[in-house]
Structures are given as C-alpha cells and as structure tokens.
Amino acid sequence: MTDRELVEKAFSMLEYAYVPYSKFPVGAALLMKDGTVFTGCNVENAAYGSTICAERTAILKAVSEGHRDDWVRIAVVGNSQDYCWPCGACRQMLYEFCPQLEVLVARKDHDFVKLSLAELLPRGFGPKSLE
C-alpha cells in the first residue's frame, strides 16, 4: 500500500468520528507488514477523560487481533489547516509497540508529511526502559 493510499484510508474514517464536543474529527490507518490495515477514529465522551483518539482506536484493534510486532506505518489525518500531529498519549502508545514506526500526518487538503516516530518522540520510554 502506498503512503497516499494509507492517508486516504485514514481520511475515510473521518465520517465515523464521534465528536459532539470538539467538532474535530480525526482518522487513522495503521499498516501491518502483511498488508492488513487497522483503522480508527476518535470517539469523544461527556466525561472527557474517557475520550479515545483515532490512533489509539487503531492500535487497540491491531493488538486485540494479535498484531504486536509487525507494524509498518500509521497515517493520522484531520480537518485542519495544520498537520494532524498525534498527541503525547498516542505517541507513547505507538512507541510501546513500534519505536521505529513511520508516521504520516495530513491536513484537510490531503497534503501530508512523513517522519519517524523517533522524530516525534525522541528518547521515548518503552519496554526496554524497564530492563
């Protein structure tokens, strides 16, 4: 799957976002080595702390289906002028499973940039940090 196709897959998730409070839909698409893609959208809650981001939705779907060490890249998209950068909690969750992950972030005009998770979360804390 090309970078562009993964970004567009993430954009297709915006329509499913549940965002009655922020009105800021986010979509994500997480690609596995075997070509499987796990998608996600953000789901808000009146108890704000219970809200889950699009990236974490895709992560939980992948892990719950047995995919823990075969991640290739993730696309994160939103309807904003700026690129839709993953929040700190999402960066940490991504690092837990794939410190070398490639990250594509897009803005509403579908332009995107590609960078490594290490660039987004330098000196990340992960399982090896506990050894």
Short mmCIF file of all heavy atoms in Angstrom, two decimals, residues 60-126:
data_model
loop_
_atom_site.label_atom_id
_atom_site.label_comp_id
_atom_site.label_asym_id
_atom_site.label_seq_id
_atom_site.Cartn_x
_atom_site.Cartn_y
_atom_site.Cartn_z
N LEU A 60 -5.51 -0.35 19.39
CA LEU A 60 -6.23 -1.37 20.17
C LEU A 60 -6.82 -2.44 19.27
O LEU A 60 -6.83 -3.62 19.63
CB LEU A 60 -7.30 -0.71 21.02
CG LEU A 60 -6.77 0.22 22.12
CD1 LEU A 60 -7.92 0.92 22.82
CD2 LEU A 60 -5.89 -0.51 23.11
N LYS A 61 -7.31 -2.04 18.11
CA LYS A 61 -7.83 -3.03 17.17
C LYS A 61 -6.72 -3.96 16.70
O LYS A 61 -6.90 -5.18 16.64
CB LYS A 61 -8.50 -2.32 15.98
CG LYS A 61 -9.83 -1.67 16.35
CD LYS A 61 -10.34 -0.73 15.28
CE LYS A 61 -10.85 -1.40 14.04
NZ LYS A 61 -11.46 -0.44 13.09
N ALA A 62 -5.55 -3.41 16.39
CA ALA A 62 -4.43 -4.23 15.92
C ALA A 62 -3.97 -5.20 17.01
O ALA A 62 -3.83 -6.40 16.76
CB ALA A 62 -3.27 -3.33 15.48
N VAL A 63 -3.75 -4.68 18.20
CA VAL A 63 -3.25 -5.52 19.29
C VAL A 63 -4.27 -6.59 19.65
O VAL A 63 -3.91 -7.75 19.87
CB VAL A 63 -2.87 -4.66 20.51
CG1 VAL A 63 -2.57 -5.53 21.73
CG2 VAL A 63 -1.68 -3.76 20.18
N SER A 64 -5.55 -6.24 19.66
CA SER A 64 -6.58 -7.22 20.03
C SER A 64 -6.74 -8.32 18.97
O SER A 64 -7.34 -9.36 19.24
CB SER A 64 -7.92 -6.52 20.27
OG SER A 64 -8.47 -6.02 19.07
N GLU A 65 -6.17 -8.09 17.79
CA GLU A 65 -6.20 -9.10 16.72
C GLU A 65 -4.84 -9.80 16.60
O GLU A 65 -4.60 -10.51 15.61
CB GLU A 65 -6.59 -8.45 15.40
CG GLU A 65 -8.00 -7.90 15.37
CD GLU A 65 -9.07 -8.98 15.49
OE1 GLU A 65 -8.89 -10.09 14.95
OE2 GLU A 65 -10.10 -8.71 16.16
N GLY A 66 -3.96 -9.60 17.58
CA GLY A 66 -2.69 -10.32 17.61
C GLY A 66 -1.53 -9.67 16.91
O GLY A 66 -0.47 -10.27 16.77
N HIS A 67 -1.68 -8.43 16.47
CA HIS A 67 -0.59 -7.73 15.77
C HIS A 67 0.15 -6.83 16.76
O HIS A 67 -0.35 -5.78 17.15
CB HIS A 67 -1.16 -6.90 14.62
CG HIS A 67 -1.70 -7.73 13.51
ND1 HIS A 67 -0.93 -8.11 12.43
CD2 HIS A 67 -2.92 -8.27 13.32
CE1 HIS A 67 -1.67 -8.86 11.62
NE2 HIS A 67 -2.87 -8.95 12.13
N ARG A 68 1.35 -7.28 17.13
CA ARG A 68 2.13 -6.52 18.12
C ARG A 68 3.52 -6.16 17.63
O ARG A 68 4.13 -5.24 18.17
CB ARG A 68 2.25 -7.32 19.41
CG ARG A 68 0.92 -7.53 20.06
CD ARG A 68 1.05 -8.23 21.36
NE ARG A 68 -0.28 -8.43 21.91
CZ ARG A 68 -0.56 -9.26 22.86
NH1 ARG A 68 0.39 -9.97 23.41
NH2 ARG A 68 -1.79 -9.37 23.30
N ASP A 69 4.03 -6.87 16.65
CA ASP A 69 5.42 -6.62 16.25
C ASP A 69 5.59 -6.57 14.73
O ASP A 69 6.67 -6.83 14.23
CB ASP A 69 6.34 -7.67 16.85
CG ASP A 69 5.97 -9.10 16.45
OD1 ASP A 69 5.01 -9.29 15.67
OD2 ASP A 69 6.65 -10.03 16.92
N ASP A 70 4.52 -6.25 14.03
CA ASP A 70 4.61 -6.23 12.57
C ASP A 70 4.07 -4.93 11.97
O ASP A 70 3.55 -4.91 10.87
CB ASP A 70 3.88 -7.44 11.98
CG ASP A 70 2.40 -7.53 12.39
OD1 ASP A 70 2.00 -6.88 13.36
OD2 ASP A 70 1.66 -8.27 11.71
N TRP A 71 4.22 -3.85 12.70
CA TRP A 71 3.72 -2.57 12.23
C TRP A 71 4.70 -1.92 11.26
O TRP A 71 5.91 -2.00 11.43
CB TRP A 71 3.50 -1.63 13.41
CG TRP A 71 2.53 -2.13 14.45
CD1 TRP A 71 1.99 -3.39 14.55
CD2 TRP A 71 2.00 -1.39 15.54
NE1 TRP A 71 1.15 -3.46 15.63
CE2 TRP A 71 1.14 -2.24 16.26
CE3 TRP A 71 2.17 -0.10 15.98
CZ2 TRP A 71 0.46 -1.84 17.39
CZ3 TRP A 71 1.49 0.32 17.11
CH2 TRP A 71 0.64 -0.54 17.79
N VAL A 72 4.16 -1.24 10.25
CA VAL A 72 5.00 -0.58 9.25
C VAL A 72 4.88 0.94 9.37
O VAL A 72 5.87 1.65 9.56
CB VAL A 72 4.60 -1.01 7.82
CG1 VAL A 72 5.41 -0.26 6.77
CG2 VAL A 72 4.76 -2.51 7.66
N ARG A 73 3.66 1.46 9.25
CA ARG A 73 3.45 2.90 9.35
C ARG A 73 1.99 3.20 9.69
O ARG A 73 1.11 2.38 9.49
CB ARG A 73 3.90 3.65 8.11
CG ARG A 73 3.17 3.34 6.84
CD ARG A 73 3.85 4.07 5.66
NE ARG A 73 3.22 3.75 4.41
CZ ARG A 73 3.51 2.68 3.67
NH1 ARG A 73 4.42 1.82 4.06
NH2 ARG A 73 2.88 2.46 2.54
N ILE A 74 1.79 4.42 10.16
CA ILE A 74 0.45 4.88 10.51
C ILE A 74 0.21 6.23 9.84
O ILE A 74 1.14 7.04 9.72
CB ILE A 74 0.25 4.98 12.04
CG1 ILE A 74 -1.23 5.23 12.38
CG2 ILE A 74 1.17 6.03 12.66
CD1 ILE A 74 -1.57 5.06 13.84
N ALA A 75 -1.02 6.43 9.39
CA ALA A 75 -1.44 7.74 8.86
C ALA A 75 -2.43 8.34 9.86
O ALA A 75 -3.33 7.64 10.35
CB ALA A 75 -2.09 7.59 7.50
N VAL A 76 -2.26 9.61 10.15
CA VAL A 76 -3.14 10.34 11.06
C VAL A 76 -3.59 11.60 10.33
O VAL A 76 -2.75 12.37 9.85
CB VAL A 76 -2.43 10.71 12.37
CG1 VAL A 76 -3.39 11.40 13.32
CG2 VAL A 76 -1.81 9.48 13.02
N VAL A 77 -4.90 11.80 10.23
CA VAL A 77 -5.43 12.90 9.43
C VAL A 77 -6.53 13.65 10.19
O VAL A 77 -7.18 13.08 11.06
CB VAL A 77 -6.00 12.40 8.08
CG1 VAL A 77 -4.96 11.56 7.34
CG2 VAL A 77 -7.26 11.59 8.28
N GLY A 78 -6.71 14.90 9.82
CA GLY A 78 -7.77 15.71 10.41
C GLY A 78 -8.25 16.77 9.44
O GLY A 78 -7.69 16.93 8.35
N ASN A 79 -9.26 17.50 9.86
CA ASN A 79 -9.84 18.57 9.03
C ASN A 79 -9.34 19.93 9.48
O ASN A 79 -10.11 20.82 9.78
CB ASN A 79 -11.37 18.53 9.12
CG ASN A 79 -11.97 17.50 8.20
OD1 ASN A 79 -11.39 17.16 7.19
ND2 ASN A 79 -13.13 16.99 8.56
N SER A 80 -8.04 20.09 9.52
CA SER A 80 -7.48 21.36 9.96
C SER A 80 -6.47 21.90 8.95
O SER A 80 -5.98 21.16 8.10
CB SER A 80 -6.80 21.20 11.34
OG SER A 80 -5.76 20.25 11.26
N GLN A 81 -6.15 23.16 9.09
CA GLN A 81 -5.17 23.81 8.22
C GLN A 81 -3.77 23.25 8.46
O GLN A 81 -2.95 23.20 7.57
CB GLN A 81 -5.15 25.33 8.46
CG GLN A 81 -6.46 26.02 8.16
CD GLN A 81 -6.75 26.12 6.67
OE1 GLN A 81 -5.88 25.94 5.84
NE2 GLN A 81 -8.00 26.38 6.34
N ASP A 82 -3.50 22.87 9.72
CA ASP A 82 -2.20 22.34 10.10
C ASP A 82 -2.23 20.82 10.01
O ASP A 82 -3.30 20.20 9.96
CB ASP A 82 -1.84 22.76 11.53
CG ASP A 82 -0.38 22.53 11.88
OD1 ASP A 82 0.42 22.21 10.97
OD2 ASP A 82 -0.03 22.66 13.07
N TYR A 83 -1.07 20.22 10.02
CA TYR A 83 -0.99 18.76 10.03
C TYR A 83 -1.55 18.24 11.35
O TYR A 83 -1.45 18.90 12.38
CB TYR A 83 0.46 18.31 9.84
CG TYR A 83 1.00 18.72 8.48
CD1 TYR A 83 1.82 19.82 8.34
CD2 TYR A 83 0.65 18.00 7.35
CE1 TYR A 83 2.29 20.21 7.10
CE2 TYR A 83 1.11 18.38 6.09
CZ TYR A 83 1.93 19.49 5.98
OH TYR A 83 2.39 19.86 4.75
N CYS A 84 -2.14 17.07 11.31
CA CYS A 84 -2.81 16.49 12.48
C CYS A 84 -1.81 15.63 13.26
O CYS A 84 -1.73 14.42 13.09
CB CYS A 84 -4.01 15.66 12.03
SG CYS A 84 -5.08 15.20 13.39
N TRP A 85 -1.05 16.28 14.12
CA TRP A 85 0.01 15.61 14.88
C TRP A 85 -0.59 14.74 15.99
O TRP A 85 -1.51 15.16 16.68
CB TRP A 85 0.94 16.65 15.51
CG TRP A 85 1.55 17.55 14.49
CD1 TRP A 85 1.22 18.85 14.24
CD2 TRP A 85 2.59 17.24 13.57
NE1 TRP A 85 1.99 19.34 13.22
CE2 TRP A 85 2.85 18.38 12.79
CE3 TRP A 85 3.34 16.07 13.34
CZ2 TRP A 85 3.81 18.41 11.80
CZ3 TRP A 85 4.31 16.11 12.35
CH2 TRP A 85 4.53 17.27 11.59
N PRO A 86 -0.07 13.54 16.19
CA PRO A 86 -0.55 12.70 17.29
C PRO A 86 -0.25 13.37 18.64
O PRO A 86 0.80 13.99 18.81
CB PRO A 86 0.27 11.41 17.15
CG PRO A 86 0.76 11.40 15.74
CD PRO A 86 0.93 12.84 15.36
N CYS A 87 -1.17 13.21 19.58
CA CYS A 87 -0.96 13.75 20.92
C CYS A 87 0.11 12.94 21.64
O CYS A 87 0.54 11.88 21.17
CB CYS A 87 -2.27 13.75 21.70
SG CYS A 87 -2.82 12.11 22.25
N GLY A 88 0.52 13.40 22.79
CA GLY A 88 1.56 12.71 23.56
C GLY A 88 1.16 11.30 23.96
O GLY A 88 1.99 10.37 23.90
N ALA A 89 -0.08 11.10 24.37
CA ALA A 89 -0.52 9.77 24.77
C ALA A 89 -0.46 8.80 23.60
O ALA A 89 -0.06 7.64 23.75
CB ALA A 89 -1.94 9.83 25.35
N CYS A 90 -0.83 9.26 22.42
CA CYS A 90 -0.78 8.39 21.24
C CYS A 90 0.66 8.09 20.84
O CYS A 90 0.98 6.97 20.47
CB CYS A 90 -1.55 9.03 20.09
SG CYS A 90 -3.33 9.01 20.36
N ARG A 91 1.52 9.08 20.94
CA ARG A 91 2.94 8.85 20.63
C ARG A 91 3.50 7.78 21.55
O ARG A 91 4.23 6.89 21.12
CB ARG A 91 3.73 10.15 20.77
CG ARG A 91 3.37 11.19 19.74
CD ARG A 91 4.07 12.51 19.97
NE ARG A 91 3.44 13.55 19.18
CZ ARG A 91 4.03 14.67 18.83
NH1 ARG A 91 5.28 14.92 19.17
NH2 ARG A 91 3.37 15.58 18.12
N GLN A 92 3.14 7.84 22.82
CA GLN A 92 3.61 6.86 23.79
C GLN A 92 3.07 5.47 23.47
O GLN A 92 3.80 4.48 23.52
CB GLN A 92 3.21 7.27 25.21
CG GLN A 92 3.70 6.31 26.28
CD GLN A 92 5.22 6.19 26.33
OE1 GLN A 92 5.93 7.19 26.32
NE2 GLN A 92 5.73 4.97 26.37
N MET A 93 1.79 5.37 23.14
CA MET A 93 1.21 4.07 22.79
C MET A 93 1.87 3.49 21.54
O MET A 93 2.14 2.29 21.48
CB MET A 93 -0.30 4.19 22.56
CG MET A 93 -1.12 4.31 23.81
SD MET A 93 -1.26 2.76 24.72
CE MET A 93 -2.27 1.79 23.61
N LEU A 94 2.13 4.31 20.55
CA LEU A 94 2.80 3.83 19.34
C LEU A 94 4.21 3.33 19.67
O LEU A 94 4.63 2.27 19.20
CB LEU A 94 2.86 4.95 18.29
CG LEU A 94 1.52 5.35 17.68
CD1 LEU A 94 1.65 6.67 16.94
CD2 LEU A 94 0.97 4.26 16.78
N TYR A 95 4.91 4.06 20.52
CA TYR A 95 6.28 3.71 20.89
C TYR A 95 6.33 2.37 21.62
O TYR A 95 7.28 1.60 21.48
CB TYR A 95 6.89 4.81 21.76
CG TYR A 95 8.38 4.67 21.94
CD1 TYR A 95 9.26 5.24 21.03
CD2 TYR A 95 8.91 3.98 23.03
CE1 TYR A 95 10.62 5.12 21.19
CE2 TYR A 95 10.27 3.85 23.19
CZ TYR A 95 11.13 4.42 22.27
OH TYR A 95 12.50 4.30 22.43
N GLU A 96 5.31 2.07 22.39
CA GLU A 96 5.24 0.81 23.13
C GLU A 96 5.39 -0.40 22.20
O GLU A 96 6.03 -1.39 22.55
CB GLU A 96 3.90 0.71 23.86
CG GLU A 96 3.65 -0.58 24.60
CD GLU A 96 4.42 -0.71 25.90
OE1 GLU A 96 4.95 0.31 26.41
OE2 GLU A 96 4.50 -1.83 26.42
N PHE A 97 4.80 -0.30 21.02
CA PHE A 97 4.78 -1.44 20.11
C PHE A 97 5.75 -1.33 18.94
O PHE A 97 6.13 -2.34 18.36
CB PHE A 97 3.36 -1.66 19.59
CG PHE A 97 2.41 -2.06 20.69
CD1 PHE A 97 1.59 -1.11 21.28
CD2 PHE A 97 2.38 -3.36 21.15
CE1 PHE A 97 0.74 -1.47 22.32
CE2 PHE A 97 1.54 -3.73 22.19
CZ PHE A 97 0.71 -2.78 22.78
N CYS A 98 6.13 -0.10 18.56
CA CYS A 98 6.97 0.03 17.36
C CYS A 98 7.76 1.35 17.37
O CYS A 98 7.39 2.30 16.68
CB CYS A 98 6.09 -0.05 16.12
SG CYS A 98 7.02 -0.22 14.59
N PRO A 99 8.87 1.39 18.13
CA PRO A 99 9.66 2.62 18.19
C PRO A 99 10.16 3.11 16.83
O PRO A 99 10.39 4.29 16.64
CB PRO A 99 10.84 2.26 19.10
CG PRO A 99 10.38 1.07 19.87
CD PRO A 99 9.41 0.35 18.98
N GLN A 100 10.31 2.20 15.86
CA GLN A 100 10.82 2.56 14.54
C GLN A 100 9.72 2.87 13.53
O GLN A 100 9.97 3.01 12.34
CB GLN A 100 11.73 1.45 13.99
CG GLN A 100 11.02 0.18 13.60
CD GLN A 100 10.65 -0.74 14.76
OE1 GLN A 100 10.90 -0.45 15.92
NE2 GLN A 100 10.05 -1.87 14.45
N LEU A 101 8.49 3.04 13.99
CA LEU A 101 7.34 3.27 13.12
C LEU A 101 7.50 4.53 12.26
O LEU A 101 8.03 5.54 12.72
CB LEU A 101 6.08 3.41 13.98
CG LEU A 101 4.74 3.42 13.27
CD1 LEU A 101 4.45 2.05 12.67
CD2 LEU A 101 3.63 3.79 14.25
N GLU A 102 7.01 4.45 11.03
CA GLU A 102 6.90 5.63 10.17
C GLU A 102 5.53 6.26 10.42
O GLU A 102 4.53 5.54 10.56
CB GLU A 102 7.02 5.26 8.70
CG GLU A 102 8.38 4.74 8.31
CD GLU A 102 8.44 4.33 6.84
OE1 GLU A 102 7.39 3.98 6.25
OE2 GLU A 102 9.53 4.37 6.29
N VAL A 103 5.48 7.58 10.44
CA VAL A 103 4.24 8.30 10.72
C VAL A 103 3.95 9.28 9.59
O VAL A 103 4.81 10.09 9.22
CB VAL A 103 4.34 9.06 12.07
CG1 VAL A 103 3.04 9.78 12.39
CG2 VAL A 103 4.73 8.11 13.20
N LEU A 104 2.75 9.18 9.05
CA LEU A 104 2.28 10.12 8.03
C LEU A 104 1.23 11.01 8.69
O LEU A 104 0.29 10.50 9.30
CB LEU A 104 1.63 9.37 6.86
CG LEU A 104 2.43 8.23 6.24
CD1 LEU A 104 1.57 7.45 5.26
CD2 LEU A 104 3.68 8.76 5.58
N VAL A 105 1.39 12.31 8.61
CA VAL A 105 0.39 13.22 9.17
C VAL A 105 -0.10 14.14 8.06
O VAL A 105 0.68 14.64 7.26
CB VAL A 105 0.93 14.04 10.37
CG1 VAL A 105 1.18 13.14 11.56
CG2 VAL A 105 2.20 14.78 10.02
N ALA A 106 -1.42 14.31 8.02
CA ALA A 106 -2.02 15.07 6.92
C ALA A 106 -2.90 16.19 7.45
O ALA A 106 -3.37 16.16 8.59
CB ALA A 106 -2.85 14.14 6.03
N ARG A 107 -3.13 17.15 6.60
CA ARG A 107 -4.06 18.24 6.89
C ARG A 107 -5.26 18.12 5.96
O ARG A 107 -5.28 17.24 5.07
CB ARG A 107 -3.37 19.59 6.77
CG ARG A 107 -2.72 19.83 5.45
CD ARG A 107 -1.88 21.08 5.45
NE ARG A 107 -1.44 21.36 4.09
CZ ARG A 107 -0.40 22.07 3.79
NH1 ARG A 107 0.34 22.60 4.73
NH2 ARG A 107 -0.09 22.29 2.54
N LYS A 108 -6.24 18.98 6.12
CA LYS A 108 -7.50 18.80 5.41
C LYS A 108 -7.40 18.84 3.88
O LYS A 108 -8.25 18.29 3.20
CB LYS A 108 -8.56 19.77 5.90
CG LYS A 108 -8.38 21.20 5.51
CD LYS A 108 -9.53 22.03 6.05
CE LYS A 108 -9.43 23.48 5.67
NZ LYS A 108 -10.58 24.22 6.21
N ASP A 109 -6.36 19.46 3.34
CA ASP A 109 -6.21 19.48 1.88
C ASP A 109 -5.56 18.19 1.35
O ASP A 109 -5.22 18.11 0.18
CB ASP A 109 -5.43 20.72 1.43
CG ASP A 109 -3.99 20.74 1.89
OD1 ASP A 109 -3.53 19.77 2.56
OD2 ASP A 109 -3.28 21.73 1.59
N HIS A 110 -5.36 17.21 2.24
CA HIS A 110 -4.80 15.90 1.95
C HIS A 110 -3.29 15.92 1.70
O HIS A 110 -2.71 14.90 1.35
CB HIS A 110 -5.53 15.20 0.80
CG HIS A 110 -6.94 14.84 1.14
ND1 HIS A 110 -7.47 13.59 0.89
CD2 HIS A 110 -7.94 15.55 1.73
CE1 HIS A 110 -8.73 13.56 1.29
NE2 HIS A 110 -9.04 14.74 1.80
N ASP A 111 -2.66 17.08 1.88
CA ASP A 111 -1.20 17.12 1.84
C ASP A 111 -0.70 16.43 3.11
O ASP A 111 -1.32 16.55 4.16
CB ASP A 111 -0.71 18.58 1.80
CG ASP A 111 0.80 18.65 1.69
OD1 ASP A 111 1.36 18.01 0.78
OD2 ASP A 111 1.43 19.34 2.52
N PHE A 112 0.40 15.70 3.01
CA PHE A 112 0.93 15.02 4.18
C PHE A 112 2.44 15.05 4.21
O PHE A 112 3.09 15.29 3.20
CB PHE A 112 0.42 13.57 4.24
CG PHE A 112 0.94 12.65 3.16
CD1 PHE A 112 2.09 11.90 3.36
CD2 PHE A 112 0.27 12.54 1.95
CE1 PHE A 112 2.57 11.06 2.37
CE2 PHE A 112 0.74 11.69 0.95
CZ PHE A 112 1.89 10.95 1.17
N VAL A 113 2.97 14.84 5.40
CA VAL A 113 4.41 14.73 5.60
C VAL A 113 4.68 13.38 6.26
O VAL A 113 3.81 12.81 6.92
CB VAL A 113 4.99 15.88 6.46
CG1 VAL A 113 4.85 17.21 5.73
CG2 VAL A 113 4.33 15.93 7.82
N LYS A 114 5.90 12.89 6.06
CA LYS A 114 6.29 11.59 6.61
C LYS A 114 7.51 11.79 7.49
O LYS A 114 8.47 12.47 7.09
CB LYS A 114 6.63 10.65 5.45
CG LYS A 114 7.04 9.26 5.84
CD LYS A 114 7.30 8.47 4.55
CE LYS A 114 7.52 7.01 4.80
NZ LYS A 114 7.64 6.26 3.53
N LEU A 115 7.46 11.22 8.68
CA LEU A 115 8.59 11.28 9.58
C LEU A 115 8.60 10.04 10.45
O LEU A 115 7.65 9.25 10.44
CB LEU A 115 8.58 12.55 10.41
CG LEU A 115 7.39 12.81 11.33
CD1 LEU A 115 7.78 13.83 12.38
CD2 LEU A 115 6.23 13.38 10.53
N SER A 116 9.66 9.87 11.19
CA SER A 116 9.75 8.70 12.06
C SER A 116 9.14 9.02 13.42
O SER A 116 9.09 10.17 13.85
CB SER A 116 11.21 8.29 12.23
OG SER A 116 11.90 9.25 13.01
N LEU A 117 8.70 7.97 14.09
CA LEU A 117 8.18 8.16 15.45
C LEU A 117 9.28 8.70 16.35
O LEU A 117 9.01 9.52 17.25
CB LEU A 117 7.64 6.83 15.99
CG LEU A 117 7.03 6.87 17.39
CD1 LEU A 117 5.89 7.88 17.48
CD2 LEU A 117 6.55 5.48 17.79
N ALA A 118 10.53 8.31 16.11
CA ALA A 118 11.65 8.82 16.91
C ALA A 118 11.76 10.35 16.79
O ALA A 118 12.18 11.01 17.74
CB ALA A 118 12.95 8.15 16.49
N GLU A 119 11.39 10.89 15.64
CA GLU A 119 11.39 12.35 15.49
C GLU A 119 10.27 12.98 16.30
O GLU A 119 10.41 14.09 16.81
CB GLU A 119 11.24 12.74 14.02
CG GLU A 119 12.45 12.40 13.17
CD GLU A 119 12.20 12.68 11.71
OE1 GLU A 119 11.59 11.83 11.03
OE2 GLU A 119 12.64 13.77 11.24
N LEU A 120 9.14 12.28 16.41
CA LEU A 120 8.01 12.79 17.18
C LEU A 120 8.17 12.57 18.68
O LEU A 120 7.62 13.32 19.49
CB LEU A 120 6.70 12.11 16.73
CG LEU A 120 6.11 12.57 15.43
CD1 LEU A 120 4.91 11.70 15.07
CD2 LEU A 120 5.69 14.02 15.50
N LEU A 121 8.90 11.52 19.04
CA LEU A 121 9.08 11.17 20.45
C LEU A 121 10.53 10.75 20.69
O LEU A 121 10.84 9.57 20.86
CB LEU A 121 8.12 10.03 20.86
CG LEU A 121 8.10 9.65 22.33
CD1 LEU A 121 7.58 10.80 23.19
CD2 LEU A 121 7.24 8.41 22.55
N PRO A 122 11.42 11.74 20.70
CA PRO A 122 12.83 11.39 20.92
C PRO A 122 13.03 10.87 22.35
O PRO A 122 12.35 11.29 23.28
CB PRO A 122 13.57 12.72 20.71
CG PRO A 122 12.54 13.78 20.91
CD PRO A 122 11.22 13.17 20.54
N ARG A 123 13.93 9.91 22.47
CA ARG A 123 14.25 9.31 23.77
C ARG A 123 13.00 8.77 24.46
O ARG A 123 12.79 8.96 25.65
CB ARG A 123 14.97 10.32 24.67
CG ARG A 123 16.30 10.78 24.10
CD ARG A 123 17.01 11.71 25.07
NE ARG A 123 18.07 12.42 24.41
CZ ARG A 123 17.95 13.63 23.86
NH1 ARG A 123 16.81 14.27 23.92
NH2 ARG A 123 18.97 14.19 23.28
N GLY A 124 12.18 8.09 23.70
CA GLY A 124 10.93 7.54 24.23
C GLY A 124 11.14 6.50 25.31
O GLY A 124 12.20 5.86 25.39
N PHE A 125 10.15 6.35 26.15
CA PHE A 125 10.16 5.36 27.23
C PHE A 125 9.35 4.15 26.78
O PHE A 125 8.16 4.29 26.46
CB PHE A 125 9.54 5.97 28.50
CG PHE A 125 9.62 5.07 29.70
CD1 PHE A 125 10.72 5.09 30.53
CD2 PHE A 125 8.58 4.20 29.99
CE1 PHE A 125 10.80 4.26 31.64
CE2 PHE A 125 8.65 3.37 31.10
CZ PHE A 125 9.75 3.40 31.93
N GLY A 126 9.97 2.99 26.75
CA GLY A 126 9.28 1.79 26.30
C GLY A 126 9.69 0.59 27.13
O GLY A 126 10.35 0.73 28.17
#
